[in-house]
Amino acid sequence: MDATHELTLADFDYALPSELIAQQPLPDRAASRLLHVDGDRLADLHFRDIETLLVAGDVLVFNDTKVIKARLLGRKPSGGKVEVLVERIVEPRRALALVRTSHAPKPGSVFEFGHDLGAPVTAEVLGRQNDFFELRFSDDVLALLDHAGHVPLPPYIHHGDTAEDVARYQTVYAAQPGAVAAPTAGLHFTEALLTRLRAKGVQCVYVTLHVGAGTFQPVRVDRIAEHRMHSEWYSIAPAAANAINAARASGRRIVAIGTTSLRALESAAHEGRVQAGARDTALFITPGFRFQIVDRLITNFHLPKSTLLMLVSAFAGMQTMRRAYAHAVEQRYRFFSYGDASLLERAP
């Protein structure tokens, strides 16, 4: 693409038949399909074939965030309905959240949740930060979500959350509570598959990035350069950083499991090395970005005009991803969170 071309939303649009949006997970996590994208070469595989595409010494970097039941259904003291999607728990009784109600709430507004708890838990609106409202709860937020919350399924999944979603909209290695959306590339891995990969000599490393509700927010500007990315918290332990840096120093491949793992690694990159620590990132990756850490990316198929489609286009190349997505539609791959996966090779 001409370097003078200014990227717009139209550059990241594609036609997707609605019936290709996966509404349910497959019975077997690892039974999904896998599209291997290597420049002009596209290979239709199954996810279990990932074993044949990895070699001893490869480092897989997983996001071990755990999805919390972040969607709360409550009411105002007047009886009006209110829906809250907790974005981030700031303190045990304080959180940032998206709020849906008949009228935009003002500071001092009060909501009630968990009426089956005996005395309902209340939340007072303290103020607003861009799209999010700061709420102060009368009890522990996590405890309330565990008891009264719902799995925050993406807006393109059209059924209410079920017991199956509680189990399946979560990776088998989830450990750190805080995400309001699953790192969906990891949903394809089973304990048995991870065991076989380790036995083969593949190294598994874990970082944490708490996926926020902003991941589903549409890009509201036409010129990509004007978009401001939502902020998410991530943490990389010293042992994880050391393992990744040692692998890179010895020429071994770093494979990010999902765009969230990739964003954490590239946010922490400094002169080709990963820096340990915990911080927020608002890194917006678009074509032209210079990747420092990640060599390969396993990821699902992403929404048209989304920041994640921009990220994979930056990683594998815009024309490459256009061909790959056209192929995936033609071959009837399953799209989005409960859908199939792709393995992308980084463009030169």
Side-chain angles (χ1 to χ4, degrees):
M1 177 169 287
D2 186 344
T4 63
H5 177 83
E6 184 175 33
L7 296 174
T8 67
L9 275 181
D11 292 312
F12 302 96
D13 197 11
Y14 67 94
L16 178 68
S18 60
E19 66 269 19
L20 297 186
I21 301 174
Q23 295 296 313
Q24 304 285 349
L26 295 176
D28 178 2
R29 287 177 182 266
S32 53
R33 298 167 73 188
L34 178 72
L35 178 61
H36 184 196
V37 180
D38 185 3
D40 291 335
R41 296 185 294 276
L42 302 175
D44 296 306
L45 307 169
H46 289 91
F47 195 79
R48 290 189 184 88
D49 295 326
I50 200 69
E51 294 181 60
T52 68
L53 300 172
L54 298 169
V55 300
D58 283 347
V59 176
L60 303 188
V61 183
F62 297 88
N63 180 7
D64 67 359
T65 189
K66 186 174 184 178
V67 178
I68 58 177
K69 293 194 286 184
R71 183 169 169 257
L72 286 168
L73 302 177
R75 66 191 187 199
K76 305 174 186 178
S78 62
K81 294 181 179 180
V82 62
E83 179 178 336
V84 164
L85 181 63
V86 172
E87 160 76 7
R88 182 184 301 202
I89 297 174
V90 181
E91 294 176 358
R93 296 190 179 190
R94 194 161 59 91
L96 294 176
L98 295 172
V99 175
R100 181 182 297 175
T101 185
S102 55
H103 300 288
K106 298 178 180 179
S109 299
V110 175
F111 311 131
E112 298 175 348
F113 305 99
H115 287 79
D116 59 335
L117 297 175
V121 175
T122 62
E124 179 187 358
V125 177
L126 300 180
R128 187 167 187 171
Q129 299 181 20
N130 299 318
D131 291 334
F132 301 104
F133 291 87
E134 184 178 3
L135 304 179
R136 181 171 58 206
F137 289 78
S138 62
D139 205 342
D140 184 84
V141 180
L142 262 182
L144 173 64
L145 296 179
D146 285 343
H147 183 88
H150 295 265
V151 178
L153 294 174
Y156 46 75
I157 291 179
H158 298 145
H159 65 264
D161 61 315
T162 65
E164 180 184 38
D165 295 304
V166 172
R168 294 298 303 277
Y169 195 61
Q170 194 84 270
T171 64
V172 298
Y173 49 82
Q176 308 297 332
V180 301
T184 53
L187 297 180
H188 305 282
F189 287 86
T190 64
E191 293 285 8
L193 177 56
L194 290 170
T195 297
R196 292 196 300 271
L197 290 174
R198 291 188 184 101
K200 186 174 182 175
V202 174
Q203 188 174 1
C204 297
V205 171
Y206 298 88
V207 300
T208 303
L209 184 144
H210 290 325
V211 191
T215 192
F216 298 120
Q217 295 297 301
V219 177
R220 296 187 175 94
V221 294
D222 187 57
R223 296 176 63 246
I224 300 308
E226 295 176 356
H227 177 68
R228 294 297 171 261
M229 194 72 172
H230 60 283
S231 178
E232 295 170 316
W233 180 90
Y234 75 92
S235 176
I236 301 176
N242 291 341
I244 294 163
N245 292 333
R248 294 199 74 254
S250 60
R252 292 181 283 137
R253 295 181 299 189
I254 307 301
V255 185
I257 309 304
T259 57
T260 59
S261 295
L262 181 147
R263 284 187 71 233
L265 293 176
E266 297 296 339
S267 295
H270 179 67
E271 296 181 353
R273 292 176 59 83
V274 171
Q275 296 181 307
R279 55 189 71 89
D280 280 1
T281 179
L283 180 64
F284 183 26
I285 296 177
T286 59
F289 181 83
R290 187 174 70 87
F291 293 89
Q292 298 188 55
I293 306 298
V294 178
D295 301 300
R296 309 174 95 187
L297 171 64
I298 294 174
T299 186
N300 284 19
F301 294 94
H302 303 293
L303 278 73
K305 301 182 179 180
S306 65
T307 60
L308 298 181
L309 183 55
M310 297 169 197
L311 183 155
V312 297
S313 297
F315 188 81
M318 291 184 65
Q319 296 302 328
T320 293
M321 293 314 299
R322 284 173 181 163
R323 286 192 296 270
Y325 272 56
H327 176 86
V329 169
E330 179 185 352
Q331 296 299 315
R332 311 291 291 179
Y333 276 72
R334 301 166 72 249
F335 277 65
F336 306 162
S337 294
Y338 278 151
D340 295 317
S342 61
L343 170 61
L344 309 182
E345 307 288 344
R346 191 175 80 188

